[in-house]
Amino acid sequence: MEFTVDKYENYSIAKIDQEKVDSTVAPELKSEFMKLAQDGVKSLIVDMAAVKYVDSSGLSALLVGNRSFGDSGAFVLFNVTDHVMKLIAISQLDKVMNIVAGQEEAADMVLLAAINKGQGAAE
């Protein structure tokens, strides 16, 4: 699976460089999310620009990410393609996940989550 992570002061950005997030890559994606959470990343922003298709396994992996970072900070998706967004909406995951258009909005959402959780911007 093609997956890169850039770490910043208040969050990390993961970029999924896969066209399909399906049963062949979903287990590895879940593992990556859990490893980042265990390594102390409080908030994760996920760039979905390259992803053109997700199946139920891929959606499950995104839910694992959402659960892994929801208590400590935030899990935010951005650059979600129209087709993937439709699949997320059909499964009603858009009601439980943070999805924004761009990276700046995602960073703002992480900051807001930190303030709401009483962590402040420096954590």
Side-chain angles (χ1 to χ4, degrees):
M1 182 185 75
E2 298 291 324
F3 185 84
T4 57
V5 178
D6 292 319
K7 295 186 178 187
Y8 297 90
E9 185 178 346
N10 298 319
Y11 54 84
S12 291
I13 297 180
K15 184 172 186 178
I16 301 173
D17 289 319
Q18 289 281 141
E19 281 196 16
K20 290 183 177 182
V21 178
D22 57 17
S23 60
T24 60
V25 298
E28 188 177 348
L29 185 59
K30 287 179 187 179
S31 295
E32 291 287 348
F33 288 153
M34 290 189 296
K35 183 178 182 313
L36 288 167
Q38 289 170 352
D39 289 347
V41 172
K42 288 190 180 264
S43 293
L44 185 65
I45 297 172
V46 182
D47 185 347
M48 302 276 293
V51 180
K52 308 289 184 233
Y53 172 79
V54 292
D55 69 1
S56 60
S57 298
L59 293 173
S60 174
L62 294 176
L63 274 174
V64 166
N66 196 50
R67 277 191 229 109
S68 297
F69 297 95
D71 291 337
S72 65
F75 181 77
V76 185
L77 305 178
F78 78 102
N79 282 343
V80 179
T81 61
D82 288 342
H83 183 69
V84 171
M85 191 63 215
K86 284 178 188 170
L87 294 169
I88 289 171
I90 287 168
S91 61
Q92 297 187 348
L93 294 180
D94 57 331
K95 295 180 182 10
V96 296
M97 291 211 255
N98 298 310
I99 304 168
V100 296
Q103 184 175 332
E104 190 173 311
E105 291 169 276
D108 289 346
M109 190 167 274
V110 166
L111 179 60
L112 185 62
I115 291 168
N116 287 339
K117 290 179 180 169
Q119 297 172 345
E123 289 190 35

